[in-house]
Amino acid sequence: TNMVTADGAEHHRLRRLVTKTLTPQRVQSLRPRIVEITENLLDALPGHAGEDGAVDLRRHFAYPVPMQVICELVGVPEHERDEMRALVDSIFRTNTTPEEVLNTQRDIYLLLDRLVEARRKEPGDDLTSALIAAREEEPDTLSHEELLGTLWVMVSAGHETTLSLLVNAVRALLTHPDQRALALDGDAEVWSAVVEETLRWDAPIGNFMARYPLEDIEIAGVTIPAGEAILAPYSAVGRDSTHHGPNAHRFDITRPRTRHISFGHGPHICVGAPLARLEANIALPALFARYPDLSLAVDPGDLVPVASMFSNSVQALPVHL
């Protein structure tokens, strides 16, 4: 059990330590480091160009920004990060073999066990150390297994989602020249609109598994029995014209702000939303400021979707800088 799958009092118990340690101050304190990580990656981009001059922006920018940030936030040491990345990648794909799934589950807990042991011996200014300290104050809050589960949710959800958000935002701007022109002329407020419109129009988590109604509910004449698994399709909800108007299918950063639910809603609303927004609001304007002539290196129709029921993005984003 972890925060994602628990409900009610159990969910509150599992989530409380995270909200206590992942404070707005802790998130904001990451700003200078996110700026530095972004600038270093932008410096390195030309060196990643292939023979055709194209750079895969997913691999060399959208992926390492959140990966470096979340690993530093959680305290994952440098030598464990490649394995951590491979494990995260494995759980979001839906074309894995049963054997790979079992191996992944085992390796995740072995890696997190090593992390907790290292931070217990040598606490740092990171979330793992803060969670260990908070647990020692209130031993009944999280078991050791629940601590590992919590860290896993933080690392996986805190990386895959922001990766897709960055890819989807860049893809949207590169395929909507009018919107891109508005963004390039705009201030921080305009870039915030780019981020929110991407979240609505091209949600990083396309479908969310799974929510379970506590009682029978009726939607559009269909009864969903209590306890039946519900797949929440954020991709579809974000383009619902009854909520977002007749132009819901259009990517438009000037639209009046309506509430999207790409971070979920209610007690389960994403604890990492402020961090995701901070990363995207730093990384996107920095990218376009450095490479204002950025363009897709392939036809938009040739971009290949990620092989996943959950993640909504493309496997590569080849661009000319």
Side-chain angles (χ1 to χ4, degrees), residues 295-318:
S295 63
L296 274 182
V298 294
D299 186 77
D302 292 337
L303 295 170
V304 183
V306 171
S308 174
M309 277 170 63
F310 316 107
S311 296
N312 168 44
S313 194
V314 288
Q315 291 179 21
L317 191 69

Side-chain angles (χ1 to χ4, degrees), residues 30-187:
L30 291 165
R31 178 183 284 277
R33 190 66 191 112
I34 298 170
V35 170
E36 191 181 350
I37 287 168
T38 299
E39 292 301 329
N40 290 342
L41 291 166
L42 291 174
D43 289 345
L45 279 182
H48 294 300
E51 283 174 19
D52 58 355
V55 175
D56 179 1
L57 209 60
R58 177 188 168 96
R59 182 176 173 188
H60 298 295
F61 186 69
Y63 151 61
V65 170
M67 194 61 179
Q68 287 184 35
V69 172
I70 203 74
C71 283
E72 289 189 18
L73 173 66
V74 172
V76 180
E78 203 70 56
H79 67 275
E80 299 275 29
R81 292 182 187 182
D82 283 349
E83 186 187 354
M84 184 68 91
R85 165 64 194 148
L87 293 171
V88 171
D89 187 52
S90 176
I91 67 145
F92 279 93
R93 282 187 292 119
T94 33
N95 59 352
T96 44
T97 64
E99 189 183 26
E100 189 182 345
V101 171
L102 288 173
N103 289 342
T104 299
Q105 295 294 344
R106 182 199 64 214
D107 291 345
I108 285 163
Y109 282 91
L110 289 173
L111 193 157
L112 291 169
D113 224 16
R114 295 195 296 273
L115 170 64
V116 169
E117 196 46 45
R119 291 286 83 86
R120 197 171 265 133
K121 285 182 182 147
E122 210 176 309
D125 182 26
D126 54 71
L127 203 63
T128 303
S129 303
L131 284 169
I132 292 168
R135 254 190 84 207
E136 277 161 8
E137 279 175 33
E138 310 174 59
D140 57 343
T141 44
L142 288 183
S143 68
H144 179 66
E145 281 68 32
E146 287 168 344
L147 173 64
L148 300 185
T150 297
L151 289 169
W152 177 240
V153 169
M154 301 301 288
V155 170
S156 55
H159 165 244
E160 179 75 16
T161 49
T162 306
L163 157 61
S164 298
L165 170 57
L166 293 175
V167 170
N168 294 1
V170 174
R171 174 174 61 159
L173 290 173
L174 294 186
T175 52
H176 296 78
D178 56 328
Q179 301 298 309
R180 174 204 186 135
L182 291 172
L184 286 181
D185 282 344
D187 56 7

